[in-house]
Amino acid sequence: MRKALRRLVSVLTVVLVGAGGFLAVAPTAAADVTYVPDNWNGKVVYLSQACHDRGDTVCHDNTGCDGFSENINSYKVAMSTINGGSTDHLSLLERGYKVVRGNGLTRKNIASSNRVGADLHIPLHSNAISASCESDKPASRYGTHAMYVSSAGKECAAKIVQRVGASSPGTNDTRQYRTDLGELNQTNAVACYLEQDFHVWQRGVNWMRDRDSWSWRLAMAVDVYMGYP
């Protein structure tokens, strides 16, 4: 039986249809939700949901094969990683981590992560290599990517690629050094940015939607990197 004391913050969203078929969601000011384990190990993990705000005031969405929504998937992966999925493997809460789930604008999540004193900051995204769903492409075109900018982030990214990438259908699993992402450069916490797989091929979409069967791998990667505090 899973035990967790959850402090939930209600979220009101306004859904607008943006240009080009992208979905725009206006987040509220009180976006963070904090989850507290029964036995806290003293570490805080900030899971930052996908929000492509493009410098404005709403979260835009990226869509993929079969109506896949990057933003909705990001939320569901966060919840599965926090609470556990359909396996007997431990979730982040069961591993003793306090988790803050940020679902605001990117700059707000950065500020919130810094304010709560997160030890680890993980943006949750899916990747794209084209504007539409592809077919008849090899699995080597896709895979799990983890991005970093610091030496500590490089180590974290390696743990994520090793464990999450072992499950994803794409075979091009890699960590990447990036200097152009605010969630890597502007967070006080060590940051490693997850691109689960690509949402422009059906096998990747199917796997990401089956998040309850593999989200424990992300929780394990966090635990391995943090040294099982």
Side-chain angles (χ1 to χ4, degrees):
M1 180 177 182
R2 302 183 182 282
K3 299 177 181 178
L5 175 62
R6 306 173 190 174
R7 180 163 56 88
L8 303 180
V9 181
S10 61
V11 178
L12 175 65
T13 57
V14 179
V15 178
L16 305 170
V17 177
F22 289 107
L23 193 66
V25 180
T28 65
D32 284 353
V33 185
T34 301
Y35 303 82
V36 183
D38 291 328
N39 298 297
W40 184 31
N41 62 20
K43 300 297 183 181
V44 179
V45 177
Y46 194 97
L47 297 182
S48 181
Q49 290 178 205
C51 172
H52 308 88
D53 50 62
R54 303 169 189 169
D56 56 29
T57 59
V58 295
C59 288
H60 300 269
D61 199 2
N62 291 328
T63 57
C65 299
D66 193 26
F68 180 88
S69 162
E70 181 175 355
N71 289 6
I72 292 174
N73 172 72
S74 177
Y75 160 74
K76 291 183 176 180
V77 168
M79 294 302 297
S80 186
T81 306
I82 293 166
N83 293 317
S86 58
T87 73
D88 292 330
H89 296 281
L90 299 179
S91 68
L92 282 178
L93 282 180
E94 290 168 326
R95 292 174 185 273
Y97 294 93
K98 180 187 293 185
V99 184
V100 181
R101 178 173 58 85
N103 60 354
L105 299 169
T106 301
R107 57 187 174 274
K108 181 187 182 302
N109 285 1
I110 293 170
S112 295
S113 176
N114 292 342
R115 185 182 65 253
V116 302
D119 296 281
L120 190 62
H121 183 98
I122 305 178
L124 301 172
H125 287 254
S126 56
N127 218 334
I129 203 168
S130 64
S132 59
C133 189
E134 300 183 338
S135 60
D136 301 323
K137 301 291 185 181
S140 59
R141 182 173 172 83
Y142 316 103
T144 297
H145 294 179
M147 295 176 285
Y148 67 93
V149 71
S150 66
S151 57
K154 182 178 182 180
E155 182 182 351
C156 172
K159 304 302 184 187
I160 289 177
V161 168
Q162 180 182 4
R163 284 157 180 82
V164 177
S167 176
S168 66
T171 59
N172 182 26
D173 302 325
T174 182
R175 59 185 180 183
Q176 299 177 347
Y177 176 73
R178 294 282 295 271
T179 60
D180 59 331
L181 298 170
E183 290 196 82
L184 293 179
N185 287 297
Q186 298 170 22
T187 54
N188 296 334
V190 173
C192 37
Y193 191 119
L194 173 62
E195 298 276 13
Q196 304 156 52
D197 205 313
F198 287 69
H199 57 246
V200 294
W201 74 313
Q202 193 64 51
R203 283 182 61 194
V205 165
N206 293 344
W207 174 78
M208 287 188 285
R209 282 177 170 160
D210 190 30
R211 65 198 68 82
D212 282 353
S213 70
W214 62 263
S215 61
W216 63 271
R217 292 176 175 274
L218 179 56
M220 175 182 280
V222 168
D223 220 8
V224 172
Y225 169 72
M226 299 298 287
Y228 302 100

